[in-house]
Amino acid sequence: VVSWTSLMAGYTKYGLGHEALSLFDQMQLLSVAPSTVTFVCTLKACGNTRATKKGQEIHDEIEKRGFVDLDVVGNALVDMYASCGLLVEAEEVFDKLPAKDMISWTALIAGYAKHGHSEEALSCFEQMKSEGVIPDVVSWSALIAGYAMHNCGEEALICLEEVKQAGVSPDAVTYASSLKACGGVRAIEKGQEIHAEIAQKGLLERDFVVGNALIDMYATCGLLFEAQDVFGKLLVRDAVSWTSLIAGYTKHGCAEEALNCFGKMQMEGFSPDVVTFICSLKACGIMGAIEKGQELHEAIIRNGLLEKDVLIGNALLDMYIDCGLLAKAHEVFDKLPVQDAVSWTALIAGYAKYGCSEEALGCFERMQLIGISPDAFSWNALVAGYARQGESENVFHAFDRMRGEGMDPS
RNA sequence: CCAAUGGAUGGUGCAUAC
């Protein structure tokens, strides 16, 4: 049991939740009896991969064996439900906990925060304090991360001040989230202030995350020189560091420099991941760099990345559309493993952009035939195409249809 | 005696004609 569980713990730690879960299944098949530690690891893996069904099964199993009353198991349950966004269930388990410690509270706060319920997260936080549980740096960071993630940068930064006033010392994670908040609201000065603090504490030398968050903050704010400077001084870099730079250059009109970085990172021995490809494809699209784009396309196929992530297929599609190669785009579309509303809308918008409103409408009808309902973006793409062509009757007709489906054209 | 529970950094679609 211990060997199995240790292996699972390792997988979970490095984000290989699916592998951990399949280990659990193998254990069951071989009738190895899971321990409470095994269950805790499995719950963690369920939370990471949002495997809600599996999580509920494990919960039942745990109830049956009477393991629920253990603090660690109860907290892991709260965390699993909270991570999966099943906050009602998380609350239920939480309420039944024999002892609610800081970890139980923080798991719940983090669940609310992560899923965009900042107010509930905050009221949880207050309640925790009023029950005499003192929040530590992790509880604070959960709050800040929630704000930062959902574009409430102001609140996040206010929170950062409160952390310090409470006499808690922010750590790498707290700073990373705060920097994300700075990027979101373009709080450049605050970002620089945090930069100085981080440097003073020597946090930049220790791990990727803070350095990467700094690069991202500067890049998002359009301070590419500073981003490059931080990048150059980092002692440890990874693919994320490179991708943050690439994304920054792309976003701020330096697509060529972005593609340079893409080349350089590989020369220095870093493999681009899915996100790197997505950002670089965007740069190709902006530049109309067809050959480079095709090169990336081939590399993506070679590495089997199309199957790994839906987003990369849509990014490829966009790249070809931006390069004006609609036929090629359609070909890519046909081969996508998953065609979601975004893929269809990209195609519709592409046709609309180049004045092919017939084809755009064709796509629009076909997506509905296969059971994908157009969202506001899809409608907008269609209508924009008509508008571009001066087909005002079709525009009004589309408005009527939208109203018929309960959507408001305004 | 060994494994286990809370927070964190990068990425996709539309933009309204005369």
Side-chain angles (χ1 to χ4, degrees), chain A residues 88-105:
Chain A
V88 176
E89 287 81 353
E91 282 275 7
E92 266 171 30
V93 177
F94 180 84
D95 285 338
K96 288 187 202 146
L97 289 181
K100 305 173 192 7
D101 61 11
M102 186 169 55
I103 294 190
S104 339
W105 281 102

Side-chain angles (χ1 to χ4, degrees), chain A residues 125 136-146 163 170-171 173-175 177:
Chain A
F125 188 82
D136 72 351
V137 65
V138 177
S139 328
W140 281 104
S141 300
L143 259 191
I144 294 178
V163 175
D171 67 4
V173 176
T174 323
Y175 284 124
S177 300

Side-chain angles (χ1 to χ4, degrees), chain A residues 243-408:
Chain A
T243 306
S244 305
L245 259 192
I246 293 172
Y249 281 126
T250 305
K251 201 180 291 175
H252 293 95
C254 314
E256 197 170 354
E257 191 50 40
L259 291 179
N260 279 339
C261 286
F262 180 77
K264 268 194 245 164
M265 81 178 274
Q266 283 159 291
M267 296 209 313
E268 294 191 16
F270 294 92
S271 305
D273 66 9
V274 172
V275 182
T276 319
F277 276 113
I278 291 174
C279 296
S280 307
L281 284 169
K282 182 109 192 144
C284 292
I286 290 172
M287 291 183 60
I290 295 171
E291 282 184 21
K292 188 74 188 169
Q294 281 173 327
E295 200 182 291
L296 294 189
H297 186 171
E298 283 160 22
I300 288 164
I301 304 283
R302 257 203 316 281
N303 295 310
L305 295 178
L306 263 189
E307 287 71 32
K308 219 174 148 188
D309 201 307
V310 203
L311 299 182
I312 200 164
N314 291 339
L316 253 184
L317 200 54
D318 277 338
M319 185 273 291
Y320 282 117
I321 290 170
D322 287 338
C323 288
L325 303 181
L326 282 182
K328 186 73 189 165
H330 210 128
E331 200 184 310
V332 170
F333 177 87
D334 288 333
K335 288 187 195 153
L336 288 184
V338 185
Q339 294 150 343
D340 63 4
V342 174
S343 331
W344 282 100
T345 303
L347 207 54
I348 294 167
Y351 280 125
K353 184 174 169 189
Y354 295 103
C356 314
S357 39
E358 296 275 318
E359 283 86 347
L361 181 62
C363 289
F364 191 81
E365 303 297 358
R366 250 178 296 140
M367 81 184 272
Q368 286 164 295
L369 281 179
I370 63 162
I372 297 178
S373 17
D375 60 10
F377 288 120
S378 324
W379 281 102
N380 203 0
L382 183 73
V383 171
Y386 290 143
R388 177 180 291 274
Q389 297 292 100
E391 302 166 11
S392 56
E393 274 179 32
N394 282 334
V395 171
F396 290 121
H397 180 64
F399 283 170
D400 286 341
R401 274 182 68 188
M402 282 180 81
R403 286 191 199 95
E405 307 200 1
M407 296 181 85
D408 180 7

